Amino acid sequence: EILADQRGIGELRLLLPALAALCRDAGAHDRGSGGWIAWVSPPYRPYAPSLAAWGIDVGRMLIVNGAGTTEWAMDQALRSESCSAVLGWANPRDPHALRRLQLAAEASHSLAVLYRPLQAGLTPSPAVLRLALLGGGTEGLQVRVVKSRGGRPATVNLGH
């Protein structure tokens, strides 16, 4: 989970190297054997030229407008075994929906990221990793590790 109230502070940039690596890994295998990057209910349309400049194969991107069904669409994309990564923007209130997503992500061996508001950090979550992002100010992007399986809370300033 990535928790942030502001958009455009670097919440996607954190993932771009990982997404590019997944695209390279998928390109090494048969073209039909996965490697899709699903964007479920993104608040803005992903900007293809910028993503391509980072090494992401935009021909392997799926954009799903799942307003109201984001968790279901993410679950289906993860269970399909054809996605290397599934990114979703939602704030499920049902703990069972979060648990289903966490189980689907583990079973699929795909990168699964759920973007939620900062306020969601006040409630429990089965997510393996929870990052809270704070932007602006003179320090640039601040990434706070709220939860990490086997780790401790920490804060990193990434600058501008």
Side-chain angles (χ1 to χ4, degrees):
E1 289 182 11
I2 295 181
L3 310 172
D5 282 341
Q6 297 173 295
R7 305 237 194 257
I9 60 171
E11 68 275 15
L12 284 176
R13 191 174 180 147
L14 283 175
L15 297 179
L16 291 176
L19 295 175
L22 290 170
C23 285
R24 284 191 303 276
D25 291 347
H29 304 296
D30 175 28
R31 209 50 181 156
S33 67
W36 291 96
I37 298 173
W39 302 65
V40 184
S41 303
Y44 304 104
R45 181 169 295 276
Y47 187 61
S50 178
L51 295 173
W54 275 90
I56 295 170
D57 182 357
V58 294
R60 301 297 290 170
M61 285 181 27
L62 299 172
I63 300 173
V64 179
N65 295 316
T69 60
T70 301
E71 300 89 33
W72 178 84
M74 288 181 70
D75 183 71
Q76 295 302 301
L78 289 164
R79 292 182 192 280
S80 74
E81 297 184 12
S82 52
C83 293
S84 294
V86 178
L87 313 176
W89 286 260
N91 189 19
R93 305 236 191 283
D94 177 11
H96 299 293
L98 288 170
R99 179 70 175 146
R100 278 191 299 274
L101 282 175
Q102 187 256 338
L103 290 172
E106 284 186 4
S108 72
H109 302 291
S110 299
L111 172 65
V113 178
L114 181 60
Y115 288 93
R116 300 177 72 192
L118 275 173
Q119 190 71 20
L122 299 176
T123 59
S125 170
V128 173
L129 177 67
R130 262 185 147 174
L131 303 176
L133 306 183
L134 302 169
T138 58
E139 299 297 319
L141 181 64
Q142 183 181 79
V143 180
R144 190 175 46 146
V145 179
V146 177
K147 176 184 174 185
S148 172
R149 192 177 285 171
R152 291 185 230 174
T155 302
V156 176
N157 288 321
L158 297 180
H160 293 285

